[in-house]
Amino acid sequence: MSTVNTRKQILLAFEGRPLCFVSGISLARQLGITRTSVWKHVEALKAEGWPVVSKRGEGYRFTQPFDFSLLRSSQFPLPYFWKVRYEFDTVSTQVPAKEAAESGLSEGHLWLAERQTAGRGRLDRTWESPLGGLWMSFLLRPQIAAGRVPSLTLVTALILQETVKEICGLDLRLKWPNDLVIETAAGWKKVGGILTEMSGETDRTRWVVMGVGMNVNNTMPKSLRHIATSLVSLKDRVGLIIPRVALLTDFLQRFHSAYLRFQKQGFEPFRPHYWQMYSRPDEPVSLRTSQGVLRGIARGVDAYGALVVESHKQIQYLREGEIVS
Ligand code: BTN
């Protein structure tokens, strides 16, 4: 067995045994290797960052409940369009995706990581990406004018919303342009976001890298708990682990058909549903844009994905900016 496979088998031996010790002897027997060799592999896994500890006389255990479904993902049937590249650790899944985009790789490739050491959000913010979340970037080469790419972000947000409803039964809402949010007793909190990067000319898109971050089994650091939460925290069931691969495969299936439709018909068929899922339709909104702050009432989104805001009895189309309240 290759080193990678041996290590994968060691990790999978902890599946379904949260916080329980697995002895070195049983791992050695199971894998047909020596105990010393098990020890060496576990040390290497620890060095990589896997949350494993050892105890003399007891063996090894995971220090946190863990969803192993992505580690198994190569064994899961994925819709044909997609080619997944899974890594434990990466700086940001956007990095290899953009490099590949520049080097001419075909669309449908997807980079997935258990954690990111320098995850990036919109507007050059950092994005917390510890173990347990769903962090991925995928490469698209849509046959559309560059001006239509923002509305593809909105379609992606809508498909994520549908996926979470289907797999977790949670009713997330959308916040323009790229956030998935939920209303809690303590106010609106962010659950996921999308970072869209692209290259092209005004009338031709060369590539789009869509980065999706969803807080799934990770709990939020204290400093973010007032503004962000994760799917598992919303489920309120102790010990529950959400299988991220179910979210992933459902999303990829739905997104692929939406993407084909989007390329033929544009954003129009998705527009009413996007607005139906909107977090605060027809409510006062404040936006920070490159032109300054705009206050008004959010009235809808247009065919290009711009936010339509009524301000001082005039309709404005916001193509960039951020909702601040
Ligand atoms: C945002 O809401 O600001 C967008 C967040 C996007 C985060 C995802 S996680 C996967 C991909 N890699 C990154 O570094 N960022 C995106």
Side-chain angles (χ1 to χ4, degrees):
M1 209 187 307
S2 70
T3 302
V4 172
N5 256 331
T6 307
R7 292 194 183 154
K8 186 168 168 179
Q9 292 313 316
I10 291 178
L11 290 169
L12 290 176
F14 295 98
E15 194 173 19
R17 302 157 94 169
L19 315 182
C20 293
F21 277 103
V22 177
S23 74
I25 291 191
S26 71
L27 282 172
R29 275 203 201 113
Q30 209 175 307
L31 295 161
I33 56 177
T34 64
R35 280 169 68 184
T36 314
S37 171
V38 168
W39 176 81
K40 279 188 189 152
H41 283 302
V42 173
E43 287 307 304
L45 288 167
K46 283 188 202 169
E48 262 184 40
W50 287 94
V52 183
V53 290
S54 355
K55 193 168 172 198
R56 242 191 138 81
E58 302 244 29
Y60 309 97
R61 73 174 178 87
F62 254 62
T63 55
Q64 62 185 75
F66 192 75
D67 158 36
F68 290 87
S69 66
L70 292 184
L71 190 66
R72 288 188 176 278
S73 68
S74 55
Q75 297 156 21
F76 276 75
L78 286 167
Y80 69 95
F81 176 76
W82 301 101
K83 291 141 252 168
V84 177
R85 298 181 176 194
Y86 166 86
E87 268 184 286
F88 173 67
D89 209 281
T90 181
V91 176
S92 155
T93 51
Q94 294 290 103
V95 174
K98 286 194 293 178
E99 278 169 12
E102 280 300 328
S103 70
L105 200 71
S106 59
E107 65 175 351
H109 283 86
L110 181 144
W111 289 259
L112 183 64
E114 291 285 358
R115 76 174 186 195
Q116 302 182 113
T117 49
R120 281 181 45 231
R122 263 181 91 226
L123 310 170
D124 275 337
R125 295 194 176 120
T126 56
W127 180 263
E128 286 287 325
S129 326
L131 292 180
L134 188 57
W135 323 125
M136 65 177 168
S137 302
F138 49 91
L139 170 59
L140 301 172
R141 295 189 184 276
Q143 310 278 307
I144 54 170
R148 293 210 173 262
V149 173
S151 62
L152 186 54
T153 306
L154 272 51
V155 171
T156 309
L158 182 59
I159 300 301
L160 276 170
Q161 191 279 338
E162 288 176 9
T163 299
V164 171
K165 175 78 185 154
E166 173 71 24
I167 303 296
C168 306
L170 289 166
D171 250 318
L172 302 188
R173 285 288 177 267
L174 308 169
K175 179 178 165 192
W176 186 87
N178 68 323
D179 287 358
L180 285 111
V181 294
I182 192 153
E183 193 166 26
T184 71
W188 287 96
K189 294 194 181 182
K190 180 158 169 167
V191 186
I194 299 162
L195 172 65
T196 308
E197 296 187 78
M198 60 174 295
S199 156
E201 297 146 34
T202 40
D203 53 358
R204 188 177 70 107
T205 303
R206 283 180 56 232
W207 56 258
V208 174
V209 167
M210 204 62 92
V212 171
M214 178 73 72
N215 296 316
V216 184
N217 295 309
N218 51 314
T219 43
M220 306 312 295
K222 261 202 177 124
S223 59
L224 292 177
R225 276 184 208 161
H226 61 297
I227 49 166
T229 188
S230 60
L231 297 177
V232 81
S233 319
L234 292 164
K235 289 303 279 183
D236 220 15
R237 270 175 47 200
V238 180
L240 176 78
I241 295 177
I242 298 172
R244 289 166 298 164
V245 85
L247 284 168
L248 178 70
T249 47
D250 189 89
F251 169 77
L252 296 181
Q253 211 122 30
R254 284 170 195 273
F255 181 84
H256 184 232
S257 34
Y259 179 57
L260 296 179
R261 188 164 189 211
F262 173 82
Q263 285 193 92
K264 278 199 193 117
Q265 299 173 40
F267 183 52
E268 209 47 45
F270 302 94
R271 197 153 68 102
H273 195 197
Y274 181 89
W275 197 243
Q276 220 179 344
M277 291 299 132
Y278 200 67
S279 52
R280 293 166 52 212
D282 299 310
E283 285 188 26
V285 65
S286 241
L287 287 121
R288 195 182 303 123
T289 75
S290 56
Q291 311 291 304
V293 173
L294 178 87
R295 288 188 189 82
I297 308 285
R299 290 294 187 208
V301 281
D302 78 359
Y304 291 86
L307 186 69
V308 181
V309 176
E310 188 184 331
S311 180
H312 301 105
K313 299 211 167 116
Q314 282 199 332
I315 293 294
Q316 311 251 14
Y317 298 88
L318 275 297
R319 306 210 175 276
E320 49 88 21
E322 183 185 25
I323 295 181
V324 283
S325 68

